[in-house]
């Protein structure tokens, strides 16, 4: 009685009992009956073995027989069926009791619940295996397969993975299903496709939106009817034998990536809070593996996109260069006739303009990536910007047989911005629309005020944008066509630049399309500027990007003495020729030192100088002119430095005007004329 009382008072043992020397139960054990639900008649003899899980029963019986035969202590762990029908792991221990003469009198047996310890140990082993599996591949699809295979059957009989799409109409996409039986996997895919989810009541969608897990310990018949659509759906769900489920979000760095669903069926396992804790830890590790795979895929795609971009850039630069070099050779090889000269000049001009635009785009993207894109804002009338852009692209539209239409609605169209950059936005959108619209198509530009924004919509009837490419349309180095088979030229940087410029102006831009062959629309919204009796500068003062001011004649510069400084001989020859045709007397210098020496003996009416030169740059020149000699003659900077900050630095250093290379000849001549006129 004493030792029986001591054992029953133990804080760890859930059951205690005795058996005869041969291991047969002959006395009642109230604690065993309470634990297992067996009656005394059911547990008598070796009947207590019926409470042991069938998969372990024979091994337990053998271990008991071996301990009895060797008269040694028996210890073993196995799952035991409890009174509620559930199985839990218990540690059983049998100790032999001997009389004073050494005769075996009986066995004292105890059972201690170790289910939580066993579960934790097994879960740690499982997580270690799962982590190794996740780390075995950076392939996105392989990671999803590994995820479901790791979960079945260690955590559940079923496992599904659903990833968030960001699309309100179709918020998640099922990417993986796992079950030990392939036929059931096929059935599960069929059910998923046949019965669409309700985004308002769907448990998976709720878990993704809230970021909180869901646990249903026992899937009741009432719940099954509530989540199924009809009798056929309910019947199939019943046949699957769903018992319990857990839905756990996949926690990403910026919110849930999706969710994993764990379902118990064949094992009849009822999930607990401990299971949910383990499932959440599994989901955290799985989410890390998925994000790593996604980042790796994104890096691969970015590398491919950059490789494609470099191939495209090489092609786009070499194509006009071929025309320039080819026609230059034709002119050099022999005296051509007038028609040949005309064709050569036009081809060289077009090719040089194309190269200039390509270089501008590449430099703009470089500034965007470096975060150095800057503006020089002032009041701008967007109607004038649109009209100027339309005039620029009209020849291209006429050549393709594409009609251009502008629709204006009454209202304020004044914004604050840099006129040239805003025209670049509209010009890019119009050029794209014309490029991708077939002959006989239409491009419409609509300008209107919407609240505190000026809204400009560019809509076309062209090839449209594929649904899968639409989210990437503003990304750099991304094009919707194959590099080697594409039908349209360009680097694919225009829309990236457009988006950055619009956002720098405090606006936003969006793209939409009903799909391929159904046209596309781009909407730009810019904040309205409140202007009262303020003069808005005419857009005619600014160079129209992509066009030539061929209608404006070269200004007269008869007798004007011009000193041009540039270390490049071709540039010196070109400027001397251009300004000489206007009547100017042009002298040149290859360095600042040479220019200073020339100024000593040959005064000039205006100086045009490059900025970047060896030994001494244009800033050294302007310091000599303004400070050392105290000259007030106008000095124009003609440089390849095209950043807004460069322009401010150059003008702030004392230059009177600024021209960005490449410079149109007529623009150069007019600038010389303007600075002289301002001093007159």
């Amino acid at each position: 009685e004493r030792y029986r009382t001591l054992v029953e008072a133990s804080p760890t043992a859930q059951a205690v009992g005795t058996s005869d020397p041969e291991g047969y139960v002959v006395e009642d054990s109230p604690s065993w009956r309470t634990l297992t639900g067996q009656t005394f008649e059911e547990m008598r003899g070796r009947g207590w073995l019926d409470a042991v899980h069938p998969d372990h029963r024979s091994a337990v019986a053998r271990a008991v027989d071996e301990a009895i035969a060797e008269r040694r202590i028996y210890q073993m762990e196995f799952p035991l069926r409890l009174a509620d029908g559930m199985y839990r792991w218990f540690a059983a221990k049998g100790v032999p009791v001997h009389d004073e003469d050494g005769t075996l009198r009986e066995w004292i047996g105890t059972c201690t619940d170790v289910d939580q310890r066993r579960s934790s140990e097994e879960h740690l082993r499982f997580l270690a295996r799962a982590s190794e599996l996740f780390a075995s591949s950076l392939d996105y699809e392989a990671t999803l397969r590994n995820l479901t295979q790791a979960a079945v059957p260690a955590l559940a009989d079923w496992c599904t993975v659903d990833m968030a799409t960001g699309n309100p109409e179709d918020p998640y996409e099922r990417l993986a299903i796992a079950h030990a039986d392939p036929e059931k996997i096929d059935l599960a895919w069929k059910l998923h496709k046949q019965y669409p989810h309700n985004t308002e009541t769907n448990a998976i969608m709720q878990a993704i939106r809230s970021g909180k897990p869901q646990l249903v310990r026992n899937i009741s018949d009432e719940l099954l009817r509530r989540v199924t659509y009809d009798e056929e759906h309910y019947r199939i769900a019943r046949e699957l034998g769903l018992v319990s489920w857990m839905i756990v979000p996949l926690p990403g760095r910026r919110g849930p990536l999706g969710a994993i669903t764990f379902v118990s069926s064949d094992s009849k396992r009822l999930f607990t809070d401990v299971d949910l804790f383990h499932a959440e830890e599994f989901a955290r590790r799985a989410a890390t593996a998925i994000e790593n795979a996604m980042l790796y895929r994104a890096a691969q795609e970015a590398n491919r996109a950059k490789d494609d971009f470099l191939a495209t850039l090489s092609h786009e630069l070499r194509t006009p260069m071929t025309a320039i070099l080819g026609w230059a050779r034709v002119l050099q090889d022999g005296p051509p006739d007038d028609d040949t000269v005309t064709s050569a000049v036009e081809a060289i001009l077009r090719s040089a303009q194309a190269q200039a635009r390509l270089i501008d785009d590449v430099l703009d993207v470089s500034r965007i990536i470096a975060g150095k894109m800057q503006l020089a804002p002032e009041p701008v009338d967007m109607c004038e910007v649109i009209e100027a852009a339309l005039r620029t692209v009209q020849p291209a539209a006429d050549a393709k047989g594409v009609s251009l239409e502008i629709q204006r609605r009454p209202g304020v169209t004044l914004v604050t911005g840099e006129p040239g950059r805003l025209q670049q936005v509209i010009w890019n959108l119009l050029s794209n629309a014309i490029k991708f619209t077939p002959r006989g198509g239409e491009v419409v530009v609509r300008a209107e005020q919407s609240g505190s924004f000026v809204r400009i919509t560019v809509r076309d009837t062209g090839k449209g944008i594929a649904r899968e490419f639409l989210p990437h349309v503003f990304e750099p180095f991304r094009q919707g066509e194959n590099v080697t088979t594409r039908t349209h030229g360009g680097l694919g940087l225009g829309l990236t630049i457009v988006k950055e410029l619009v956002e720098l102006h405090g606006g936003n831009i969006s793209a939409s399309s009903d799909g391929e062959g159904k046209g596309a629309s781009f909407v730009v919204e810019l904040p309205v500027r409140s202007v009262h009796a303020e003069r808005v500068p005419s857009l005619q003062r600014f160079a129209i990007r992509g066009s030539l001011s061929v209608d404006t004649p070269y200004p007269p510069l008869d007798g004007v003495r011009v000193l041009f400084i540039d270390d490049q001989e071709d540039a010196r020859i070109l400027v001397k020729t251009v300004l000489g045709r206007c009547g100017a007397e042009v002298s040149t210098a290859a360095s600042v030192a040479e220019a200073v020496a020339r100024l000593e003996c040959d005064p000039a009416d205006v100086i045009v100088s490059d900025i970047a030169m060896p030994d001494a740059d244009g800033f050294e020149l302007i310091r000599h002119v303004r400070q050392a000699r105290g000259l007030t003659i106008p000095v124009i900077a003609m440089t390849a430095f095209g950043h807004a900050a460069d322009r401010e630095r150059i003008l702030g250093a004392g230059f009177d005007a600024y021209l960005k290379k490449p410079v149109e000849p007529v623009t150069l001549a007019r600038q010389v004329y303007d600075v002289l006129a301002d001093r007159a």
Side-chain angles (χ1 to χ4, degrees):
E1 285 298 322
R2 180 180 298 157
Y3 66 66
R4 182 175 286 109
T5 301
L6 286 172
V7 173
E8 288 180 345
S10 166
T12 57
Q14 276 72 39
V16 61
T18 61
S19 63
D20 64 16
E22 300 305 318
Y24 290 91
V25 174
V26 293
E27 292 185 23
D28 189 17
S29 170
S31 59
W32 178 267
R33 286 191 285 104
T34 301
L35 181 66
T36 65
Q38 282 187 318
T39 64
F40 174 58
E41 291 300 321
E42 289 173 335
M43 64 179 286
R44 287 186 67 168
R46 293 287 180 92
W48 62 273
L49 283 169
D50 292 340
V52 177
H53 194 284
D55 294 345
H56 297 259
R57 195 172 296 159
S58 60
V60 171
R62 281 195 307 274
V64 168
D65 289 339
E66 291 172 1
I68 291 173
E70 299 173 12
R71 297 297 193 261
R72 59 173 171 77
I73 293 176
Y74 158 80
Q75 294 186 91
M76 193 174 185
E77 293 183 0
F78 50 80
L80 198 63
R81 186 185 66 242
L82 306 187
D84 61 1
M86 296 293 295
Y87 284 92
R88 289 181 68 84
W89 280 88
F90 280 80
K93 186 173 184 178
V95 182
V97 181
H98 298 87
D99 289 331
E100 290 181 0
D101 60 1
T103 303
L104 180 62
R105 178 194 298 175
E106 62 181 354
W107 292 81
I108 298 294
T110 61
C111 280
T112 303
D113 190 331
V114 294
D115 192 77
Q116 187 168 348
R117 174 180 63 77
R118 289 279 305 211
S119 177
S120 297
E121 290 174 353
E122 179 59 32
H123 181 63
L124 288 174
R125 287 192 293 270
F126 162 71
L127 284 180
R129 292 194 303 270
S131 296
E132 290 178 3
L133 196 59
F134 292 154
S136 65
S137 175
L138 283 173
D139 179 78
Y140 182 67
E141 286 74 16
T143 299
L144 293 177
R145 288 195 301 271
N146 290 342
L147 190 161
T148 54
Q149 290 169 6
V152 174
L155 287 180
D157 301 312
W158 289 89
C159 179
T160 63
V161 180
D162 298 280
M163 299 301 292
T165 63
N167 181 0
E169 298 179 0
D170 193 13
Y172 69 84
E173 180 183 10
R174 180 152 296 174
L175 297 181
I177 298 177
H179 192 278
D181 185 351
E183 291 185 2
K184 290 190 175 182
I185 294 177
D186 294 339
L187 179 59
W189 277 117
K190 181 179 178 182
L191 280 175
H192 177 70
K193 293 174 182 177
Q194 185 174 348
Y195 296 99
H197 46 261
N198 186 321
T199 56
E200 298 301 323
T201 62
N202 183 270
I204 295 173
M205 191 62 249
Q206 291 174 0
I208 294 175
R209 283 175 175 167
S210 67
K212 297 179 180 179
Q214 297 187 17
L215 168 63
V216 176
R217 289 184 172 83
N218 193 351
I219 300 175
S220 64
D221 191 71
E222 178 185 354
L223 175 61
L224 207 57
R225 285 193 175 276
R226 194 162 63 244
V227 298
T228 52
Y229 285 83
D230 52 34
E231 283 298 321
E232 178 65 12
H233 193 193
Y234 168 76
R235 181 188 64 77
I236 297 173
R238 282 291 302 271
E239 288 180 3
L240 291 174
L242 309 182
V243 174
S244 183
W245 82 41
M246 299 181 291
I247 303 174
V248 182
L250 287 162
R253 294 181 181 89
R254 299 181 181 178
L257 304 173
I260 310 176
T261 302
F262 305 92
V263 181
S264 166
S265 58
D266 298 0
S267 65
K268 307 300 180 186
R269 176 180 180 180
L270 297 179
F271 292 131
T272 64
D273 290 334
V274 174
D275 294 318
L276 183 62
F277 174 78
H278 292 164
E280 287 185 279
E281 178 59 29
F282 175 79
R284 278 191 287 272
R285 300 193 183 197
T288 299
I290 289 174
E291 280 198 317
N292 288 341
M294 292 169 70
L295 289 171
Y296 180 69
R297 171 189 274 187
Q300 285 184 313
E301 290 178 352
N303 282 334
R304 282 196 297 269
K306 287 182 179 179
D307 288 342
D308 290 346
F309 166 74
L310 290 175
T312 303
L313 176 61
S314 176
H315 174 271
E316 292 294 317
L317 287 174
R318 288 176 182 275
T319 298
M321 183 57 69
T322 300
I324 292 171
L325 291 175
W327 280 110
R329 289 295 184 191
V330 169
L331 295 176
Q332 185 184 49
D333 288 344
D337 55 39
D338 292 343
D339 290 341
T340 302
V341 171
T342 301
S343 299
V345 170
E346 290 177 351
I348 291 172
L349 190 59
R350 284 194 304 270
S351 299
Q353 288 175 325
Q355 278 200 330
R357 286 195 295 270
L358 291 171
I359 293 169
D360 280 346
D361 284 349
V362 172
L363 292 176
D364 281 346
V365 168
S366 176
R367 295 185 190 107
I368 290 170
I369 294 173
K372 295 182 178 179
M373 179 74 79
Q374 296 181 3
L375 301 175
E378 58 182 85
V380 181
D381 187 335
M382 283 307 297
C383 280
E384 289 190 19
V385 170
I386 294 170
E387 289 170 358
L390 283 170
R391 287 196 300 271
T392 304
V393 300
Q394 187 68 58
D398 293 342
K400 282 197 69 175
V402 173
S403 67
L404 287 177
E405 179 185 349
I406 181 170
Q407 299 174 352
R408 302 181 189 83
R409 292 190 179 181
V412 178
T413 57
L414 289 178
V415 301
T416 299
E418 187 172 312
R421 289 299 191 179
L422 289 173
Q423 187 173 316
Q424 183 178 351
V425 168
I426 305 303
W427 178 86
N428 259 299
L429 293 177
L430 287 172
S431 295
N432 263 6
I434 294 168
K435 184 196 307 184
F436 293 106
T437 299
R439 180 172 294 277
E442 181 183 46
V443 175
V444 176
V445 187
R446 184 170 68 249
E448 58 189 330
Q449 183 176 349
S450 176
S452 60
F453 285 88
V454 172
R455 178 181 295 160
I456 300 101
T457 304
V458 178
R459 178 178 54 81
D460 64 68
T461 58
K463 63 173 293 187
I465 305 170
R467 180 181 177 185
E468 61 272 13
F469 186 73
L470 195 57
H472 310 288
V473 73
F474 294 108
E475 294 179 9
F477 314 121
R478 298 291 293 265
Q479 295 198 66
E481 294 184 300
N482 182 279
V483 174
T484 57
T485 61
R486 63 200 187 115
T487 57
H488 303 283
L491 297 178
L493 297 178
L495 291 179
T496 302
I497 298 168
V498 163
K499 184 175 188 294
E500 177 70 12
L501 291 176
V502 169
E503 291 177 353
L504 280 175
H505 282 84
N508 57 77
I509 183 171
S510 61
S512 62
S513 175
D514 292 333
E516 294 186 76
K518 297 182 179 179
S521 292
F522 289 84
V523 178
V524 175
E525 291 184 325
L526 297 167
V528 172
R529 176 185 175 87
S530 178
V531 180
H532 300 285
E534 184 174 356
R535 186 179 68 86
V536 178
S538 171
L539 198 67
Q540 301 303 320
R541 291 174 48 208
F542 304 96
I544 298 174
R545 193 174 188 273
S547 69
L548 294 175
S549 303
V550 294
D551 295 331
T552 303
Y554 283 88
L557 297 175
D558 298 328
V560 174
R561 294 170 298 176
V562 179
L563 173 60
F564 177 64
I565 307 103
D566 197 309
D567 59 317
Q568 297 294 321
E569 183 179 2
D570 288 340
R572 297 197 298 271
I573 294 172
L574 174 63
V575 170
K576 188 169 186 176
T577 302
V578 170
L579 298 183
R581 287 183 176 180
C582 297
E585 299 174 5
V586 184
S587 59
T588 63
S591 66
V592 171
E594 185 181 342
V596 170
R598 189 173 293 278
L599 284 172
E600 295 288 345
C601 60
D602 188 11
D605 298 314
V606 63
I607 299 173
V608 181
S609 176
D610 190 15
I611 294 295
M613 290 180 289
D615 299 326
D617 60 16
F619 294 108
E620 289 290 331
L621 173 72
I622 198 67
R623 279 193 291 271
H624 175 81
V625 170
R626 297 289 186 241
Q627 298 173 13
R629 295 187 53 115
L631 298 178
T632 60
I633 61 173
V635 184
I636 301 170
M638 190 172 79
T639 176
F641 293 120
H643 198 276
D646 296 323
R647 181 178 184 276
E648 293 176 6
R649 185 162 62 100
I650 290 169
L651 295 178
F655 286 90
D656 294 86
Y658 163 91
L659 292 171
K660 187 178 74 172
K661 294 180 180 180
V663 180
E664 296 291 348
V666 68
T667 304
L668 171 62
R670 288 168 61 187
Q671 186 64 76
V672 171
Y673 179 88
D674 288 343
V675 295
L676 289 172
D678 290 340
R679 294 294 182 92

